[in-house]
Amino acid sequence: MHSKYSRACSKDSDLEHLTWWARRKGVTLMGTGDFTHPAWFERLRENLVPAEPGLFRLRDEMDRDISRTLPDSVAARKVRFMLSVEISTIYSKGGRSRKIHHLVYMPDFASAEAFNGKLGQIGDLSSDGRPIVGMDSRDLLEATLSSGDGAYLVPAHVWTPWFGVFGSKSGFDTLEECYGDLTDHIFALETGLSSDPAMNWRVSGLDGYRLVSYSDAHSPPIVGRETTVFDTDLDYFGILEALRTGTGHAGTIEFFPEEGKYHVDGHRKCGVRMDPQETEKRGGICPMCGRKLTVGVLSRVEDLADRPAGRRPDGAAGFRNLVPLPEIVGEILRVGPKSKKVRGEVDRLTTAMGPELAILEEVPVEDIAVHSPRLAEAVGRLRRGEVTKEPGYDGEFGVIRVLEPDEPKPANAGDPPMHELKPANVDDPPTLF
């Protein structure tokens, strides 16, 4: 998660909007994001109160105001926060520049304050909600562990080229190269949008790690685009134990990895996209301009893999690939997923059937059909994995389609006539409060 104090993040990324969207999506527990930023840290202290062990909730009066703006189907859902931050470390090691992103979690404000004090001696924490520090990843891990009992670190989006621990541009081939003598304190890895667990299972050296997925939300409406599912008590330390041991770690809900911005190799300026075999054949060079391609996640997994695709390690938690509900509704209405028409339709659907994630995963297709036959057809296809994929590359998101662009719309589908649908200004954030 990120707050409004992070660069390139929505001004609505505050506790009120994040809570509103968590309820609408069906998310129970979120990171606060950005707790190293002084202004955000103070807002967290002012507006969060202790709930279950290591977790926090909004002050009662704020929570009541939010609930009044939501339909009954989602208004009463419990939402909790845990203190989290993403840290960017930039340093030189092994003769190369390293740029690695990490997720850091703290069980209480005293531990977070101790951690902030250590990082504040190295970098300017007020410049960005996701601070950049000139610090070895191993030393960041040490600073995390020494800040409080239960503090832990998870390498973020581990395969992405520029900032992943295994990334092609500045990463390592093993966790030991990155974290050295403290590697045993790493027990979970974040897959990122461009990979899913099945891709990670190809590397036997990762078998002992729990695989998690998170939204990396830069605006509240994309809360829950990727999530991790736990079968534990709602308790910071229960979740920590699940990540350490695997017991209670129930799996993840993922993008189709092809939708991620770095799934395959390519050069965006030239519109060149390649699979790993073609990249290898061309020596990693763009055929249009002669420059180096950005080597994506799929190629990097191939480099380190020692198993064929399709092998699942014993005891590995499962996962499910989904497409966010606004994207599906946008396909049906043939407008952008951020348009006002889509927002209105998703409002109608969640009022009738509950949170977005429940509609995608749990609500019977026949019940969805009562409210939108076209959506019922799309969700059925999604659950069967019947999608069309155009993989992302070099910073360009991929496209996942559940419906074909030229597919005729069935009669009496229950959706508004196409001539009534006009794209809205997709950059306008919703006004909630």
Side-chain angles (χ1 to χ4, degrees), residues 148-168:
D149 184 27
Y152 68 98
L153 179 150
V154 175
H157 43 74
V158 294
W159 293 101
T160 54
W162 301 100
F163 298 106
V165 66
F166 301 130
S168 62

Side-chain angles (χ1 to χ4, degrees), residues 254-322:
E254 309 262 348
F255 262 33
F256 285 89
E258 291 85 358
E259 192 169 0
K261 294 193 292 184
Y262 295 101
H263 184 69
V264 295
D265 313 326
H267 191 193
R268 180 169 47 170
K269 288 184 178 180
C270 295
V272 171
R273 173 172 50 194
M274 293 185 185
D275 61 29
Q277 294 73 27
E278 182 70 11
T279 300
E280 185 176 7
K281 187 186 302 182
R282 294 185 176 274
I285 300 300
C286 175
M288 301 294 290
C289 68
R291 296 182 179 178
K292 286 186 177 181
L293 298 167
T294 297
V295 175
V297 168
L298 188 60
S299 278
R300 188 64 176 140
V301 170
E302 291 280 357
D303 288 343
L304 300 185
D306 55 1
R307 285 188 183 129
R311 183 82 59 86
R312 178 175 176 174
D314 292 342
F319 70 98
R320 179 177 292 177
N321 298 115
L322 293 179

